[in-house]
Amino acid sequence: MPILSRAFVAAAMICLVGTPASLVGQTTDPISAPRGATAATKAVLDQAAREMPPETEQDFEFARRGFIATWPEPVIMQDNGQPAFDLAGNDFIEGAAPGTVHPSLWRQGRVLRAEGLFRLAPGLYQVRNFDNSNVTFIETPNGWIVIDPLTFTEVARAAFDLLKQHVADKPVLAVIYTHSHTDHFAGAAGMVSVEDAAAGTVQIIAPQGFVDEVVSEWILAGTAMGRRAFYQFGYFLPRGPQGHVGMGMGTAIAAGAQTFITPTLEIERTDQSVTIDGVELVFQMVPETEAPSEFNIWIPHVMALLNSETATGTLHNVQTLRGAKVRDAKAWAFYLTEGLRLWGDKVEVLLASHHWPRYGNDVIRLHLSHQRDAYKFIHDQSVRRMNLGQTPDEIAEELQLPPALQDDWALQGYYGTVKHNAKAVYDRYMGWYDGVPANLDRHPPVERARRLVAAVGGAEALHVQVRKAFDEGDYRWAAELAHNGVFADPADKVSRSLLADSYEQLGYQSESAIWRNIYLTGARELRRAKADAVAQTGPNYLMRATPLENFLDLLATTVIPEKAGANRLAFNLVDTGAGEHFAVTLENAVMVIEKGHCIAGAPTLSGPKPLLLGILFGQAPLDAMVAAGQARLEGDAAPIKLLSTLIEMPRLDFNIVEP
């Protein structure tokens, strides 16, 4: 029996990381087939090629250094016989960039293609490109320390098998999660078991607040994040020069089984050290950078620094486009400065949870200082312009990194961009309102679109303007105009076609992989006139680790005021598994949850968390569950039954490119 709707579960899986590799490229049809690049797009990309940083081949050399072996088959398989990761999926990224891909993004894909097991230093290894993220192994006299065990069990197991086959067959003594995103912890069961962790045989180490942040990021906004993640990660785009060419941080995300193994030790402060089988690790806390709970790791015996995601091979997101809390660019820069101060004069190997390592103290110090300067520059200059009265759009349009940073390959906008990071800095300080009175209470999108179309003389007059902008290569303006045509009338086939074509050219021109994916997914959905079907899954592994209290918070967000009306209800819940009590009331269409309290005289429903959720969300019949002895009810069932009629579960296929 499912706990929650399958669409909701799928959203929860995707919202933290994105695209299962087995699904990328598996859905295409003539209706949504891509078009070619226009002459204007080819001219833009030709100019971009001329403006790229000088090529030193250093990234290619670093990405291939220390190669030992890769998986013997082109596809790593799941236990159920389905693909977990297609190692050959990006073989098309070879040679010169085609006219439908930004040449800088194409180069990033060529570097990222290096796959397999690599030796970084004595006793220090990584497996890369078996997933979107990297898994790192530190050898000890009697075993292995694993850092970031990938997204899925099957690819994690394959990585560990490769290591044992080619280096040493030893047990895992500790697993370390650098931060609270799924692609850095959910594959742990491919290397260790829940039972081993519970018994203390294996230590599970994470930054302070890890569990709370894992739960909080997916639970309330999971559906909205999931839907937008389909766009950001190009979930349904076919792989190829006119479709999916990666995600900036990696080539693709794997597929398979996931497990949440709860940490047994949380690191609380910078300079805290842990010694495992004689190997010392020193931690640097870096919260509110790429994740709200995150740390970097100094590995002193090999003079290596693992910088998690605070310094990778791209400009990162200050706010991710799938949706998340705004990150702290100022703190991000500070932590990079702190890392340089702590270990900058010693470090000889720099590795991260994505991309490839860097070698040599001079190279590493320059990389870290450039990364620091980029986040500090974006922060400081966005704030400066904000204080001069510029709006987010004005700041984003004008802000450019200094020349030395523009010429750094590791600061190109493959994932984050200067434009949307500048807007994120503004948002962190000022919120959504840009200070312009006309934007304080604008009409909603459909009404605004109808008025704009009427103002330009109707749909046919709008089409003339869109075609003119498109023919001139002004795809941003063509998209804005055509978007209004679609929102004014979704049946306007001319506006739909022109909008899809405009989005497509903007995608081809994008250096950012996620901007590309967003544009091309928008074009795809417009041409198909519907969202792609959502992958169906069973109950999510995170649900088992999420307290009932968090689900009740979610339940409160599903109450429909028009249905709730003047209804008042009250009841108690008892989670028999956790031994927790909750008082639940509803009045004024507001659901209030009080943990540890009981409402005298109100009905009380007792049972394990999964069953309570099934009943509350209307997926398990209350009477049948009580009759079967799976739940216990004291008092009148009416308030609990009534609640399930007043809620509405969100859907993962809500409209984005049309109203």
Side-chain angles (χ1 to χ4, degrees):
M1 179 185 68
I3 298 173
L4 297 176
S5 70
R6 289 186 172 188
F8 176 82
V9 175
M13 289 183 64
I14 294 162
C15 71
L16 297 183
V17 287
T19 318
S22 61
L23 296 177
V24 174
Q26 300 305 307
T27 53
T28 187
D29 55 73
I31 295 174
S32 57
R35 291 25 167 181
T38 63
T41 287
K42 291 177 181 178
V44 167
L45 298 184
D46 287 345
Q47 182 63 30
R50 290 189 289 271
E51 294 175 352
M52 289 198 300
E55 183 58 78
T56 66
E57 298 290 329
Q58 184 183 79
D59 287 338
F60 291 93
E61 193 276 318
F62 284 167
R64 296 164 182 159
R65 184 183 294 191
F67 175 74
I68 296 174
T70 190
W71 196 246
E73 303 295 332
V75 178
I76 299 171
M77 303 301 293
Q78 297 182 49
D79 295 339
N80 63 9
Q82 297 299 311
F85 194 83
D86 183 0
L87 295 167
N90 285 315
D91 283 356
F92 68 90
I93 304 179
E94 191 58 66
T100 54
V101 183
H102 194 287
S104 181
L105 178 60
W106 188 258
R107 176 193 182 274
Q108 178 81 342
R110 289 176 55 224
V111 181
L112 282 170
R113 281 188 56 199
E115 70 184 35
L117 173 65
F118 298 84
R119 178 183 181 273
L120 281 62
L124 180 64
Y125 302 86
Q126 273 192 332
V127 172
R128 301 197 293 274
N129 201 21
F130 276 25
D131 196 354
N132 178 55
S133 53
N134 303 331
V135 55
T136 301
F137 300 95
I138 302 173
E139 188 172 13
T140 76
N142 299 294
W144 291 103
I145 300 167
V146 178
I147 303 175
D148 288 349
L150 305 181
T151 318
F152 294 93
T153 299
E154 291 88 342
V155 288
R157 183 190 305 131
F160 192 38
D161 285 347
L162 197 65
L163 178 79
K164 290 188 292 184
Q165 178 183 352
H166 292 279
V167 182
D169 188 352
K170 299 179 181 181
V172 173
L173 304 180
V175 175
I176 299 174
Y177 308 144
T178 61
H179 59 290
S180 51
H181 290 160
T182 301
D183 51 336
H184 304 279
F185 66 80
M191 303 178 187
V192 298
S193 70
V194 176
E195 294 74 21
D196 286 342
T201 306
V202 176
Q203 224 176 352
I204 310 294
I205 302 172
Q208 187 176 41
F210 175 85
V211 175
D212 288 344
E213 294 300 341
V214 167
V215 169
S216 68
E217 182 156 337
W218 80 269
I219 185 71
L220 288 181
T223 302
M225 285 187 184
R227 177 71 170 110
R228 284 167 54 158
F230 291 156
Y231 273 67
Q232 174 171 321
F233 296 111
Y235 191 89
F236 291 105
L237 295 176
R239 289 188 183 184
Q242 292 178 292
H244 193 277
V245 293
M247 297 169 296
M249 296 302 288
T251 60
I253 293 173
Q258 296 180 302
T259 303
F260 185 70
I261 303 180
T262 306
T264 58
L265 172 65
E266 287 198 350
I267 302 301
E268 300 177 353
R269 67 183 189 279
T270 292
D271 225 18
Q272 183 175 343
S273 69
V274 173
T275 299
I276 303 167
D277 194 26
V279 173
E280 182 188 23
L281 303 175
V282 184
F283 297 88
Q284 179 198 16
M285 304 303 293
V286 293
E288 289 199 83
T289 54
E290 192 273 337
S293 175
E294 187 160 354
F295 55 43
N296 295 333
I297 306 171
W298 171 243
I299 311 167
H301 74 287
V302 288
M303 299 299 171
L305 177 61
L306 193 156
N307 250 61
S308 189
E309 290 196 41
T310 57
T312 60
T314 179
L315 183 64
H316 216 302
N317 287 313
V318 176
Q319 185 175 37
T320 178
L321 300 180
R322 64 171 167 80
K325 298 173 185 176
V326 180
R327 297 155 182 176
D328 190 339
K330 181 172 176 287
W332 199 321
F334 166 79
Y335 293 129
L336 288 167
T337 299
E338 182 180 61
L340 280 164
R341 185 173 66 250
L342 290 170
W343 305 298
D345 61 339
K346 307 171 187 176
V347 60
E348 292 295 336
V349 180
L350 182 72
L351 58 154
S353 301
H354 294 272
H355 300 140
W356 51 93
R358 296 171 196 277
Y359 300 92
N361 187 261
D362 290 343
V363 169
I364 293 168
R365 287 180 63 87
L366 181 64
H367 175 72
L368 292 177
S369 65
H370 274 193
Q371 292 273 315
R372 182 267 317 281
D373 291 349
Y375 295 110
K376 191 67 162 58
F377 180 88
I378 291 170
H379 172 273
D380 292 353
Q381 295 307 311
S382 296
V383 171
R384 180 181 73 86
R385 290 170 176 268
M386 175 185 80
N387 285 328
L388 291 173
Q390 290 190 356
T391 66
D393 288 340
E394 290 170 331
I395 297 170
E397 193 70 18
E398 296 179 7
L399 193 63
Q400 290 186 334
L401 293 175
L405 303 184
Q406 289 186 44
D407 283 343
D408 188 331
W409 283 111
L411 288 173
Q412 304 307 299
Y414 306 123
Y415 197 55
T417 68
V418 173
K419 278 193 170 184
H420 74 253
N421 282 346
K423 293 179 180 179
V425 172
Y426 187 102
D427 184 38
R428 184 175 179 89
Y429 289 103
M430 303 298 289
W432 63 269
Y433 177 47
D434 64 3
V436 178
N439 294 330
L440 182 59
D441 190 24
R442 294 192 303 178
H443 288 292
V446 170
E447 181 62 24
R448 191 165 67 250
R450 288 172 177 167
R451 289 169 180 259
L452 185 144
V453 172
V456 299
E460 291 187 5
L462 180 77
H463 299 160
V464 171
Q465 295 300 316
V466 177
R467 287 195 180 96
K468 180 175 183 293
F470 188 91
D471 291 343
E472 293 173 353
D474 190 354
Y475 304 122
R476 290 170 67 186
W477 184 234
E480 184 168 344
L481 290 173
H483 164 80
N484 283 284
V486 171
F487 268 63
D489 179 9
D492 180 350
K493 293 183 179 180
V494 175
S495 287
R496 293 182 73 93
S497 178
L498 288 169
L499 182 56
D501 291 348
S502 300
Y503 281 160
E504 190 166 60
Q505 298 307 314
L506 290 170
Y508 293 160
Q509 292 180 19
S510 296
E511 183 181 43
S512 168
I514 59 177
W515 281 39
R516 176 187 176 91
N517 290 338
I518 288 168
Y519 282 130
L520 296 187
T521 300
R524 176 181 172 84
E525 288 195 0
L526 284 163
R527 289 171 180 155
R528 289 172 53 86
K530 63 179 181 179
D532 285 280
V534 176
Q536 300 293 298
T537 72
N540 185 272
Y541 69 104
L542 282 176
M543 291 180 175
R544 292 186 288 272
T546 302
L548 178 59
E549 182 178 14
N550 295 94
F551 282 108
L552 295 178
D553 288 339
L554 171 65
L555 183 64
T557 70
T558 67
V559 173
I560 306 169
E562 294 79 9
K563 287 188 176 181
N567 280 299
R568 300 174 64 183
L569 56 87
F571 58 88
N572 301 307
L573 293 173
V574 179
D575 180 352
T576 55
E580 295 177 338
H581 296 246
F582 299 89
V584 180
T585 59
L586 179 73
E587 186 175 2
N588 299 318
V590 174
M591 183 176 166
V592 176
I593 302 104
E594 296 179 273
K595 183 179 179 180
H597 292 273
C598 181
I599 304 168
T604 299
L605 177 65
S606 304
K609 179 181 70 177
L611 188 64
L612 294 179
L613 291 172
I615 293 170
L616 292 172
F617 282 97
Q619 296 181 349
L622 173 57
D623 292 341
M625 296 299 102
V626 172
Q630 296 184 42
R632 181 183 176 188
L633 177 66
E634 301 173 39
D636 186 6
I640 302 170
K641 291 182 177 179
L642 175 61
L643 178 62
S644 65
T645 69
L646 308 180
I647 65 172
E648 180 181 34
M649 287 302 298
R651 295 175 55 87
L652 254 183
D653 59 354
F654 61 76
N655 286 342
I656 290 179
V657 291
E658 60 181 301

